[in-house]
Every structure is written in structure tokens, then in C-alpha cells.
Amino acid sequence: MKTAPSVPLRDRVRDLMPRIRADLETLVRIPSISHPGHEPSQLRRSAEATAKILSDAGAEVRLLEIEGAPPAVLGRVTAPAGRPTVLLYAHHDVQPTGARELWHSEPFEPIEKKGRLFGRGSSDDKCGVVMHAGALRAFDGKTPIGVTVFVEGEEEWGSPNLAKFLERYGDELRADAVILADSGNWRTGQPGLTMSLRGIVACDIEVRTLDHAVHSGEFGGPVPDALTVLAKTLATLHDDKGNVAVAGLAHGKADPLDLTEEELRKQVGMRPGTRLIGEGGITDRMWMKPAISVLGIDAPKITESTNQLVPSARARVSMRIPPGQDADAAMKALIDHLRKNVPWGADVSISPRGHGKPYQLSGEGKTYAAMRRAMTEAFGREPVAMGAGGTIPFVADFARMLPNATLLLTGASDPFSNAHSEDESVDLADIERSTLAEALFFEYLARS
Ligand code: BES
Ligand code: MN
């Protein structure tokens, strides 16, 4: 294996780290939350900041607009004659922060602790944006291959306008290979190449037992409250061992890799007495089997509750689905299961929410060989072929549009990044290594 070009690139990326970190801090300071009810102007600000970063990195940049959608950012470095073009994907929107008290620092004020940068979006997915920009910077914008950067602003809300973006701008996104920097590494300092993504379907269920609330002592006994009905319904979604009980869904097998229960428990901060649920390998359960969770319930707060029978209650139910599972069929199976399991004849209405499709990547060919070599060089160890339990709605639709492009799923985050939760963070040394890997990949692909 020839390593000659990596020496200058390695130095270059090391010298660029203050710049890359400043880019990340700029982005983290913008509360670009794509969930409804948050200030949409912040998504325009983060799109503009992303555009500025990419243009400083040497790309020709513009905002892509779809009526009613947050702007996406397109950056381009034209391919030298005869060289391939790579599309680099990331998203500039973030999840809401949840309760401020749960954070140990301000969510939108980046702060470093023990080599990690904390703040909402630091890992999911603003580090993806700055690592793409960093890879361009490593070549002063004169990359040895063509580069198109596409940074969307609504991934965390399920990319509802994705089809419209692809219809209007798809031609400009054509590429031979795609790096989606929205997954992560296997461990801090140990690279990963993600080979599969789960999809997601979700619905809201409302049950009603009464036209209005009544005295719980006067009528409790024969008359059911809606919250108990809802609890019994939700309890049927798993069997006693914790396996998903919805029938007819695809299940697959995953490489167990070297993940022990003990390590997983540390990663998620699991309480000592709480047991893992479901059967099969841990990685099967995280990547290749369905998973159901109840995300929220609308019911009286305890402090506002009184001695009444609650007349109606609602829950939001989310189901992850493995590659090979059709999303529409999964949605139907979930809704049918819920409807069938509402006890005592209570009224039920269920509204489906959007879905994201699962996706299986290939791992074959010279593009993968180039990335494996680049990651091995940058991290000093080989990338782990891992799966992911999360969803990136962009991937399946994009892959259908570009059937001949090789898709690679990377990212600088790690299992301690706390994506979507409080105290989100990213390891700064891993940003450096991931950026170097991407830059080396450009070199190796150009010469392959
Ligand atoms: N980066 C995640 C997806 C992800 C998570 C990939 C874990 C690999 C490992 C992405 O930003 C995300 O959170 N997507 C949403 C999609 C949803 C809103 C349709 C998700 O999975 O909840
Ligand atoms: Mn996310």
C-alpha cells in the first residue's frame, strides 16, 4: 500500500483543525430546529452559514429553494477532465433540545470538555457539514475529483419535501459515488462504514371511552378510563420477552461484531437492574429486527390530575423496520395490530404519520476499496462494517434515482454522542480523522 500522498494531507488537516472547529462552533450556535413550532428563520440562517463555510472552502455555492421547505445548500467543485464526481451529503437542521435543565451546558453554546465539543447538532449532523468542508479545504478547493455537496435542512423532520428537491434539482446531484456523513464510527477512534439503515413508520392512536370525564369514585368500577385502555393497548406491542409482537414483519441477522451487553449498557446509561429486551443477537435487535417505542402520551399531567375517569388519551407510536421490509406494509401492520388490540370496545382512531424507508448498502467495488484504505490510513485501524438502527429518508429515494452510484455511509459521531438527547457531543480527534479519511478517499478514488 502506497502512503506517500497521505503525509501532506495529514499535516494539512491537522493544521486546518482550528478552522474546522470554528466552522462547527458557528453552526452549533444557530438553533436550526426543523420540527414545526420552531423559528424557521433559523433554518435560513444555518443554510446561509453552511453556504459561507462551503464557499470559503472553495466550492461554488447556492441555496436550493422549495416552497415551504427549509433551504438546502448546493456546493460544487467541477471534476478535472476524466475524473469521477462524488456527492457529499449532510443535514444542517437539528432536533429540539428537550428540557434545558437536563443539559450541563447551553445547548447552542459550543463548549469543549475532554476533547469533545458539546452542543445540539455537534454530532447530528453539523460535524458532517464541517468534515465535508474540511476535505475541500485540505485541497484548497482544488480536489482531484469532482465534488458536489448537498446539505439539506429538514432531515430531522423526515425530509417531507425530498421528492420535490430531487425532482427539481436531481440533475445537479448526479454523481458516481455518494458519501452520506450522517451515521457514525463504531467506537471513538475506531472507524465504521455503515452497511444498513433501518426505516421508520409512526402513527398517533387516540382512544375514547366517555363523552366527558366523570367522578372516579362514583363511577369507577364498571366504567373504564381511557388511559387504562391506552396502556393495555400499548402493552400488546411486545410479548413478555420484549420481542415486537406485530405480526408479519421482516427480520434479519447481523454480524454480532465485538459488542458485548456490558459495553452497550455503558453506551446508553442503562440502569443496572433493567434488562435488555427481545431475543437474538444484540446487533440483530438494533439493526435487522423491528423495534417499537412509545414516544409520547397526551394525558393529564399528574399535577393537574383529579379524581376523574379520563375520557380520552393519545399516544405516538414509532416502529423501526429493517432492510427488506416495505414501509407501507409495515405501517398497515402496526395500525391493524393497534386497532385489533384496543380492549373493551373503546372508540379508536389512528392517524399514520410519515415514513422513511430502510436501506441496505453494497460494500463492493473500487469505491469501497478506496474508502477502506482511506479510513485505515487515517485512523490507524480498519473500518468496521457495521449497521445502523436509525433512518436517513434521503438514502433510499436517492439510490433509486441514481442506481449506478456507489453509496457510502460515514460520520464522525460515536456511540457516546447522545444524538437527539441532552449533552450531545462529538470527539474532535475523530472529526480530524474522519476529515482526513474523506480527503484521502478523494485521492485514492482519483487514482483508481
Ligand atoms: N443521523 C440520524 C440517523 C442515524 C442514526 C444513522 C443512528 C445512523 C445511526 C438522522 O439524523 C436521524 O436521526 N434520522 C431520523 C429520521 C426520522 C426523522 C425520519 C431518525 O432516525 O429518527
Ligand atoms: Mn438525527
Side-chain angles (χ1 to χ4, degrees):
M1 193 181 281
K2 284 236 295 284
T3 53
S6 68
V7 178
L9 272 182
R10 186 180 293 278
D11 292 345
R12 187 78 187 107
V13 172
R14 188 190 303 119
D15 294 346
L16 278 168
M17 270 315 284
R19 178 71 259 167
I20 293 170
R21 176 187 172 152
D23 289 346
L24 183 56
E25 291 178 347
T26 300
L27 291 177
V28 169
R29 287 201 174 90
I30 304 171
S32 52
I33 301 166
S34 52
H35 284 220
H38 297 266
E39 192 39 68
S41 63
Q42 300 291 359
L43 286 154
R44 187 159 295 278
R45 280 185 66 211
S46 66
E48 281 162 2
T50 298
K52 168 95 170 48
I53 288 166
L54 290 172
S55 122
D56 288 350
E60 212 178 286
V61 179
R62 59 188 239 264
L63 298 192
L64 304 185
E65 308 273 358
I66 290 287
E67 176 72 19
V73 186
L74 183 74
R76 190 187 300 287
V77 175
T78 309
R83 296 286 173 75
T85 291
V86 174
L87 176 75
L88 309 177
Y89 168 92
H91 61 88
H92 66 87
D93 63 315
V94 299
Q95 289 274 329
T97 59
R100 168 67 186 87
E101 317 83 79
L102 296 174
W103 288 72
H104 288 88
S105 59
E106 287 297 329
F108 298 108
E109 188 46 54
I111 165 173
E112 182 185 342
K113 276 182 253 169
K114 296 188 183 153
R116 300 184 71 92
L117 195 81
F118 286 78
R120 170 57 84 233
S122 55
S123 78
D124 185 7
D125 178 31
K126 289 173 171 176
C127 68
V129 178
V130 304
M131 114 187 197
H132 293 328
L136 295 183
R137 288 184 194 282
F139 296 94
D140 287 320
K142 292 172 205 65
T143 49
I145 51 167
V147 174
T148 306
V149 190
F150 178 70
V151 183
E152 69 161 314
E154 55 169 21
E155 196 275 346
E156 298 291 4
W157 187 240
S159 304
N161 296 291
L162 183 61
K164 287 186 192 157
F165 272 105
L166 291 184
E167 196 182 308
R168 186 171 307 171
Y169 300 110
D171 281 346
E172 304 188 55
L173 303 180
R174 300 207 170 278
D176 305 291
V178 188
I179 302 180
L180 301 127
D182 191 25
S183 183
N185 287 311
W186 178 232
R187 294 192 177 93
T188 322
Q190 186 175 13
L193 264 172
T194 298
M195 302 314 308
S196 65
L197 286 165
R198 285 197 293 197
I200 188 170
V201 298
C203 66
D204 289 347
I205 173 171
E206 173 160 11
V207 296
R208 177 174 283 280
T209 56
L210 297 162
D211 290 336
H212 53 81
V214 294
H215 193 292
S216 58
E218 192 179 2
F219 296 110
V223 179
D225 72 83
L227 204 38
T228 298
V229 166
L230 184 63
K232 283 181 76 75
T233 308
L234 298 177
T236 68
L237 290 167
H238 295 89
D239 68 17
D240 287 345
K241 291 183 169 139
N243 297 300
V244 165
V246 174
L249 300 170
H251 288 62
K253 298 286 287 171
D255 188 328
L257 299 175
D258 57 354
L259 180 69
T260 61
E261 169 166 352
E262 194 192 350
E263 183 175 7
L264 174 70
R265 297 179 75 92
K266 263 199 207 103
Q267 290 174 353
V268 303
M270 205 152 150
R271 303 302 304 165
T274 303
R275 290 188 294 277
L276 298 185
I277 60 169
E279 293 170 295
I282 293 178
T283 55
D284 298 345
R285 282 178 269 168
M286 292 197 302
W287 304 333
M288 288 296 164
K289 287 176 164 241
I292 294 183
S293 30
V294 179
L295 302 182
I297 288 187
D298 283 349
K301 283 194 188 329
I302 291 175
T303 47
E304 286 157 25
S305 66
T306 57
N307 288 341
Q308 304 185 71
L309 300 179
V310 173
S312 72
R314 301 201 300 161
R316 179 159 296 174
V317 179
S318 149
M319 182 164 78
R320 300 286 171 170
I321 52 176
Q325 173 64 53
D326 176 75
D328 293 324
M331 181 82 88
K332 184 172 181 310
L334 175 63
I335 290 176
D336 288 351
H337 176 103
L338 285 166
R339 200 181 294 286
K340 207 171 66 198
N341 282 284
V342 174
W344 307 329
D347 293 354
V348 54
S349 72
I350 301 177
S351 39
R353 298 175 50 76
H355 70 243
K357 297 188 187 83
Y359 194 75
Q360 178 79 51
L361 291 94
S362 92
E364 304 288 315
K366 65 172 203 266
T367 308
Y368 269 91
M371 183 57 93
R372 286 200 185 94
R373 183 176 164 206
M375 284 184 151
T376 306
E377 177 74 27
F379 284 77
R381 52 207 301 196
E382 282 178 20
V384 174
M386 53 189 268
T391 307
I392 308 173
F394 178 81
V395 179
D397 287 309
F398 190 76
R400 205 154 34 97
M401 199 185 85
L402 281 192
N404 295 321
T406 304
L407 272 51
L408 302 136
L409 196 34
T410 67
S413 69
D414 63 40
F416 292 100
S417 283
N418 255 16
H420 296 197
S421 177
E422 64 264 18
D423 293 341
E424 179 178 349
S425 71
V426 65
D427 186 85
L428 288 161
D430 273 357
I431 294 190
E432 181 175 339
R433 291 185 272 255
S434 293
T435 303
L436 174 59
E438 196 163 293
L440 287 168
F441 168 78
F442 293 175
E443 284 269 355
Y444 297 157
L445 191 69
R447 290 191 281 129
S448 73

